[in-house]
């Protein structure tokens, strides 16, 4: 029984891994765009981005996920494909927007944490705004934001379990399936091993990155 359960959970973990990777692919650049929007001098864009961040951070991810998946259908807008692909797409969209807003706040703190004098020195040297950001701000920002970003990314691993709220197949859903079909509960708790191992690997990776980026003290 142990081997079939493990193989089934590995299949569920693969789906969780896809949610995790796709969310990062979309949310990391989107978060930077939103961060720039919250800091722009163009008031309507700044207000819009700040309002988006406030709403997303102030409401549960589970509620956002359910809303993204069900509300368009209630309104007669069938934007998601049928079956598992549609559930996966809705999950990735909801997760990406949610984490982009959290990442935006982290990005903003990292950018504003770089001393203004360094940016002014770049202007004196005749550097463009993009050159100042790339050569002066970006390197120091990455160093500053890595610890909080790593916390959010590890949280994302566990949040993938929320996808089961719209019946998307992932690791926790695979564990629950054994409760329904075979009436056994240990596979559900066995899923915790997969989360622990994956988060352990991420913790080692982020620890290594922090040591590699330890050039600003």
């Amino acid at each position: 029984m142990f081997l079939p359960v493990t193989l089934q959970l590995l299949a569920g973990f693969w789906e969780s891994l896809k949610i995790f990777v796709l969310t990062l692919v979309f949310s990391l650049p989107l978060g930077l765009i939103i961060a720039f929007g919250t800091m722009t001098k163009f008031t309507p864009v700044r207000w819009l981005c700040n309002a988006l961040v406030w709403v997303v951070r102030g409401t549960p991810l589970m509620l956002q996920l359910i809303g993204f998946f069900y509300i368009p259908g209630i309104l007669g807008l069938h934007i998601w494909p049928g079956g598992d692909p549609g559930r996966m797409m809705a999950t990735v969209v909801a997760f990406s927007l949610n984490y982009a807003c959290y990442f935006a706040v982290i990005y903003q703190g990292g950018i504003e944490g770089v001393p203004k004098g360094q940016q002014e020195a770049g202007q004196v040297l005749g550097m463009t705004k993009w050159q100042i950001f790339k050569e002066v701000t970006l390197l120091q920002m990455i160093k500053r934001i890595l610890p909080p970003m790593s916390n959010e990314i590890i949280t994302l691993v566990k949040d993938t379990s929320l996808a089961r709220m719209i019946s998307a197949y992932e690791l926790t859903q695979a564990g629950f399936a054994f409760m329904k079909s075979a009436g056994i509960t240990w596979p559900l708790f066995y899923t915790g091993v997969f989360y622990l191992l994956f988060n352990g690997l991420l913790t080692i990776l982020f620890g290594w990155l922090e040591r590699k980026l330890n050039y600003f003290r």
Side-chain angles (χ1 to χ4, degrees):
M1 188 67 180
F2 181 78
L3 181 58
V5 169
T6 301
L7 293 177
Q8 189 70 24
L9 294 185
L10 280 172
F13 176 72
W14 174 248
E15 297 302 314
S16 294
L17 186 61
K18 287 197 291 188
I19 296 172
F20 173 79
V21 172
L22 289 172
T23 298
L24 288 183
V25 167
F26 293 114
S27 63
L28 287 172
L30 179 59
L32 188 59
I33 294 172
I34 295 174
F36 286 138
T38 61
M39 295 184 293
T40 184
K41 295 181 180 179
F42 187 56
T43 303
V45 173
R46 187 175 70 252
W47 284 1
L48 178 63
C49 289
N50 280 322
L52 175 64
V53 171
W54 176 67
V55 170
V56 170
R57 294 178 69 209
T59 55
L61 174 55
M62 181 179 67
L63 186 62
Q64 296 166 24
L65 178 60
I66 293 173
F68 266 99
F69 184 67
Y70 288 109
I71 289 179
I74 294 173
L75 298 176
L77 303 173
H78 302 289
I79 61 176
W80 310 120
D84 290 336
R87 298 178 192 279
M88 173 65 74
M89 187 179 297
T91 298
V92 171
V93 171
F95 276 47
S96 297
L97 181 61
N98 180 276
Y99 273 85
C101 289
Y102 281 93
F103 290 154
V105 176
I106 297 174
Y107 284 138
Q108 182 179 355
I111 293 171
E112 293 178 346
V114 178
K116 290 287 185 181
Q118 297 187 20
Q119 300 177 25
E120 293 170 353
Q123 293 175 344
V124 171
L125 294 173
M127 299 172 68
T128 64
K129 290 185 177 180
W130 168 246
Q131 288 175 325
I132 292 173
F133 176 76
K134 184 177 67 173
E135 303 295 338
V136 179
T137 305
L138 182 61
L139 295 176
Q140 298 184 63
M141 181 192 76
I142 292 175
K143 168 63 179 176
R144 293 172 183 271
I145 70 174
L146 187 58
M149 288 289 279
S150 64
N151 286 335
E152 289 297 328
I153 291 173
I154 288 174
T155 299
L156 171 60
V157 175
K158 296 175 288 185
D159 277 350
T160 57
S161 63
L162 293 175
R164 68 176 300 271
M165 297 304 301
I166 58 171
S167 299
Y169 188 73
E170 44 75 46
L171 179 57
T172 308
Q173 183 80 334
F176 267 107
F178 287 97
M179 293 180 61
K180 297 178 180 178
S181 62
I184 53 177
T185 58
W186 67 265
L188 178 60
F189 296 99
Y190 184 24
T191 62
V193 175
F194 291 81
Y195 290 113
L196 284 171
L197 289 176
F198 188 44
N199 278 330
L201 290 174
L202 288 177
T203 301
I204 294 172
L205 173 63
F206 287 126
W208 176 79
L209 287 175
E210 286 186 39
R211 291 192 298 272
K212 293 291 287 185
L213 295 174
N214 197 26
Y215 41 75
F216 295 115
R217 297 181 183 274

